């Protein structure tokens, strides 16, 4: 096995920087890993920045998964559910989820649990705060409107990434109504998840948390009754080994859920 051991109950968060692919030979190395449909998609992007982000994400997921299974990065094949959530095809006993941004791409891997991940750069906080009435639930908004200054921006970023990580863990994206589940802080540093019964889900099914890395907030959501052992790895694209880090938790953010 080329490296990673993923124990039951553990989750690994792999990160990479699209800017590693500014060098053309590195980009070409990653492009050689793509399946035919991915290569066509990669070439269809109009803007270089989006092309690079897409390529970095593909290289990241392929390199990360190959740490756990005896498959070369180029060998992986993927399918998507009806809402677009990717999975390996055939199934390999690993679950993963991806999030892309121009300067950081992330891939969360766990064993056979539903997982969701989202990342946003800190500089998007003000823009997200402006969108609050459209995307946060009434209960979240009641807490959010009491905040100002930095606390308001922090909360905007945390709520957005947590909500995204939940709809991605469920695999349904925006088909899940954003106003029917809430991450509530109650004036403290930790959040609890409340879900409207109409969504047919139990908050106790999930473990979640937030951390900050490389100027980005990252939220993760993992199915399970126990807090996951989470490790953060950085990959230098096109796939070089990188150090393992203990994630630095976001301040004013929930650690792990337990109502
Ligand atoms: C598509 C969506 C799942 C994520 O979109 P996003 O936040 O723009 O993008 P991210 O970079 O975080 O995630 C994209 C990746 O999620 C994965 N993904 C796509 N559909 C998914 C789904 N239904 N479930 C889980 N993961 C999904 C894919 O891997 C995708 O990247 P890829 O197409 O390159 O493989 C969906 O949540 C969305 O459209 N969000 C729009 C933003 C918004 O309004 N958010 C409200 C937050 S409160």
């Amino acid at each position: 096995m080329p490296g990673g051991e993923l124990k039951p109950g553990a989750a690994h968060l792999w990160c990479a920087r699209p800017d590693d692919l500014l060098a053309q030979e590195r980009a070409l190395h990653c492009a050689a890993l793509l399946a035919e449909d991915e290569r066509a998609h990669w070439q269809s992007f109009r803007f270089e920045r989006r092309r690079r982000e897409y390529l970095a994400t593909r290289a990241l997921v392929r390199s990360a998964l190959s740490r756990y299974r005896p498959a070369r990065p180029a060998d992986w094949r993927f399918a998507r559910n009806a809402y677009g959530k990717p999975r390996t095809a055939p199934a390999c006993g690993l679950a993963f989820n991806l999030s892309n941004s121009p300067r950081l791409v992330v891939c969360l891997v766990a064993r056979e649990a539903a997982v969701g991940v989202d990342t946003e750069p800190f500089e998007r906080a003000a823009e997200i705060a402006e969108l609050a009435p459209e995307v946060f639930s009434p209960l979240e908004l009641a807490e959010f409107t009491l905040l100002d200054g930095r606390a308001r921006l922090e909360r905007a970023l945390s709520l957005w990434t947590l909500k995204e990580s939940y709809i991605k863990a469920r695999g349904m994206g925006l088909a899940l109504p954003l106003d029917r589940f809430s991450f509530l802080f109650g004036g403290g540093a930790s959040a609890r998840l409340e879900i409207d019964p109409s969504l047919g889900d139990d908050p106790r099914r999930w473990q979640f948390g937030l951390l900050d890395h490389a100027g980005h907030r990252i939220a993760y959501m993992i199915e399970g009754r126990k807090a996951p052992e989470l490790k953060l790895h950085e990959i230098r694209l096109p796939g070089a080994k990188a150090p393992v880090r203990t994630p630095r938790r976001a301040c004013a953010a929930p650690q792990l859920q337990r109502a």
Side-chain angles (χ1 to χ4, degrees):
M1 198 92 19
E5 194 200 342
L6 196 53
K7 296 183 194 140
H12 291 172
L13 187 61
W14 294 85
C15 301
R17 324 263 176 136
D19 280 356
D20 283 352
L21 304 183
L22 285 168
Q24 203 196 5
E25 74 273 13
R26 286 170 169 270
L28 290 176
H29 190 107
C30 288
L33 305 178
L34 303 189
E36 219 167 286
D37 58 327
E38 291 172 328
R39 191 160 312 145
H41 195 59
W42 171 59
Q43 283 167 342
S44 72
F45 286 103
R46 206 151 135 221
F47 297 106
E48 183 53 35
R49 186 182 63 74
R50 283 290 296 128
R51 269 164 67 91
R52 197 159 52 241
E53 193 180 306
Y54 178 82
L55 187 57
T57 307
R58 308 278 76 78
L60 174 67
V61 63
R62 288 169 172 280
S63 304
L65 293 174
S66 287
R67 305 288 167 117
Y68 308 104
R69 296 286 183 267
R72 290 173 306 168
D75 292 342
W76 292 98
R77 292 294 175 268
F78 302 94
R80 290 182 187 255
N81 75 5
Y83 304 96
K85 183 172 187 173
R87 60 176 187 274
T88 64
C92 69
L94 295 172
F96 72 90
N97 193 229
L98 302 166
S99 184
N100 332 304
S101 66
R103 286 183 292 108
L104 190 74
V105 293
V106 300
C107 173
L108 180 64
V109 186
R111 275 170 48 152
E112 298 181 36
V115 295
V117 70
D118 190 57
T119 186
E120 295 294 343
F122 295 160
E123 66 261 21
R124 275 209 72 209
E127 182 194 334
I128 289 172
E130 289 295 309
L131 294 171
E134 287 155 54
V135 292
F136 299 159
S137 74
L139 291 173
E140 288 166 337
L141 278 174
E143 290 189 346
F144 182 73
T145 48
L146 299 177
L147 303 172
D148 53 23
R150 191 183 163 88
R152 181 181 168 84
L153 297 180
E154 287 278 345
R155 181 66 59 86
L157 214 45
S158 296
L159 284 177
W160 179 283
T161 52
L162 283 168
K163 289 179 83 72
E164 277 281 352
S165 71
Y166 176 69
I167 62 179
K168 293 174 79 178
R170 293 284 307 267
M172 296 172 69
L174 291 175
L176 272 183
L178 295 170
D179 59 351
R180 295 217 201 132
F181 65 97
S182 307
F183 289 91
L184 301 172
F185 288 73
S190 315
R192 69 191 161 82
L193 172 59
E194 270 188 16
I195 305 174
D196 187 280
S198 65
L199 296 190
D201 194 13
D202 180 351
R204 288 171 302 181
R205 186 157 83 93
W206 299 103
Q207 301 292 328
F208 61 84
L210 291 164
L211 53 115
D212 287 349
H213 180 66
H216 291 66
R217 182 142 302 172
I218 301 171
Y220 59 87
M221 178 74 51
I222 301 170
E223 191 181 14
R225 296 276 170 173
K226 275 175 67 181
E229 197 187 298
L230 189 74
K231 274 189 184 152
L232 187 147
H233 305 253
E234 181 111 32
I235 285 186
R236 181 89 207 273
L237 295 173
K241 274 193 178 169
V244 179
R245 299 188 194 178
T246 305
R248 193 164 64 79
R249 305 289 173 181
C251 47
Q255 301 295 302
L256 287 163
Q257 171 203 4
R258 263 299 158 251

